[in-house]
Amino acid sequence: AQSVTQLDSQVPVFEEAPVELRCNYSSSVSVYLFWYVQYPNQGLQLLLKYLSGSTLVESINGFEAEFNKSQTSFHLRKPSVHISDTAEYFCAVSDRAGGFKTIFGAGTRLFVKA
Amino acid sequence: DTEVTQTPKHLVMGMTNKKSLKCEQHMGHRAMYWYKQKAKKPPELMFVYSYEKLSINESVPSRFSPECPNSSLLNLHLHALQPEDSALYLCASSQVGGSSYNSPLHFGNGTRLTVT
């Protein structure tokens, strides 16, 4: 069965500092991995996804994530954060066996301080 | 702006009321979802419709009744709810096809429901 573990419930960081949000998954088959972001009073938005191919994927606003099969990880990184990056970040996994079911991690609250 | 539109944004209802949540998308997606999200928690899947047919019901109590009138619309009918049903209800859609399991979800901004 699939599962997703986000190791940090909250990550406080100063503006312009780098950040890493950790995500580990378990699945017995090939997986597809996603990061979603949720700003206050909004729904979730897709930030980036790994389906196949290059293990390093990037978003349009400077985030990147690397798929590491041996460590079953898909950590999210940004070299320099902005106040506007303050949000809840969810790592998610799906696979062929799960069909329409996407499994979400518990979420990590990124809080960027001035 | 989100491409999945949910109405109303906020809803307060008593335990004896009947109300409906509405969701609309025009991206041509043929899978539509209802999720429930409690504060500081991830979304929990409730229902999935694929090609307007109920595909998944995650053992949701019968006081929640989904409906998919056409490929663009998804409703959630509410009746005799309990205070613990208060939550953010999110609608989502995705493509359907040979690789539906890797198609990302497109979420609306949700309906904040309070049951008094």
Side-chain angles (χ1 to χ4, degrees):
Chain A
Q2 306 163 14
S3 68
V4 179
T5 302
Q6 292 185 244
L7 297 166
D8 305 296
S9 59
Q10 294 185 69
V11 174
V13 63
F14 284 104
E15 194 174 20
E16 298 184 3
V19 71
E20 179 180 81
L21 307 184
R22 296 180 290 171
C23 172
N24 287 88
Y25 68 92
S26 67
S27 175
S28 59
V29 296
S30 297
V31 297
Y32 303 91
L33 295 157
F34 307 86
W35 276 100
Y36 289 87
V37 59
Q38 186 174 29
Y39 298 102
N41 300 314
Q42 293 187 24
L44 282 70
Q45 302 172 32
L46 179 69
L47 190 59
L48 45 75
K49 62 185 178 185
Y50 171 77
L51 304 181
S52 64
S54 173
T55 57
L56 185 66
V57 290
E58 297 177 355
S59 72
I60 58 173
N61 56 356
F63 283 94
E64 64 178 31
E66 185 162 19
F67 171 58
N68 187 318
K69 188 174 182 178
S70 63
Q71 297 187 2
T72 61
S73 69
F74 190 55
H75 300 332
L76 182 69
R77 302 184 182 95
K78 188 170 186 180
S80 175
V81 294
H82 303 289
I83 297 285
S84 59
D85 292 323
T86 293
E88 191 82 22
Y89 292 80
F90 293 98
C91 182
V93 63
S94 66
D95 63 28
R96 188 185 298 270
F100 287 110
K101 292 188 180 183
T102 297
I103 305 300
F104 289 90
T108 297
R109 170 79 174 160
L110 175 63
F111 178 57
V112 181
K113 301 178 284 186
Chain B
D1 288 339
T2 181
E3 296 168 321
V4 177
T5 304
Q6 290 187 244
T7 56
K9 287 184 170 43
H10 301 274
L11 179 62
V12 179
M13 61 185 290
M15 289 189 285
T16 59
N17 291 159
K18 285 185 181 181
K19 296 286 185 183
S20 297
L21 309 185
K22 297 186 184 300
C23 174
E24 187 170 4
Q25 58 90 13
H26 293 289
M27 293 179 284
H29 291 168
R30 301 306 295 273
M32 296 187 76
Y33 308 71
W34 280 115
Y35 283 86
K36 174 183 178 179
Q37 187 179 28
K38 300 284 269 184
K40 301 187 189 304
K41 296 290 186 183
E44 300 172 29
L45 183 63
M46 300 175 71
F47 303 103
V48 181
Y49 274 82
S50 173
Y51 292 101
E52 296 88 69
K53 287 185 171 32
L54 186 63
S55 175
I56 296 175
N57 177 342
E58 290 286 86
S59 302
V60 179
S62 60
R63 57 186 184 269
F64 295 91
S65 176
E67 178 195 20
C68 190
N70 60 54
S71 60
S72 300
L73 294 174
L74 185 67
N75 299 321
L76 186 63
H77 303 297
L78 314 172
H79 175 53
L81 294 193
Q82 303 297 310
E84 58 264 29
D85 295 322
S86 298
L88 181 68
Y89 287 84
L90 293 164
C91 174
S93 67
S94 71
Q95 294 177 337
V96 178
S99 302
S100 60
Y101 48 87
N102 63 18
S103 180
L105 297 164
H106 296 253
F107 286 88
N109 283 331
T111 293
R112 178 78 59 190
L113 175 66
T114 303
V115 182
T116 60

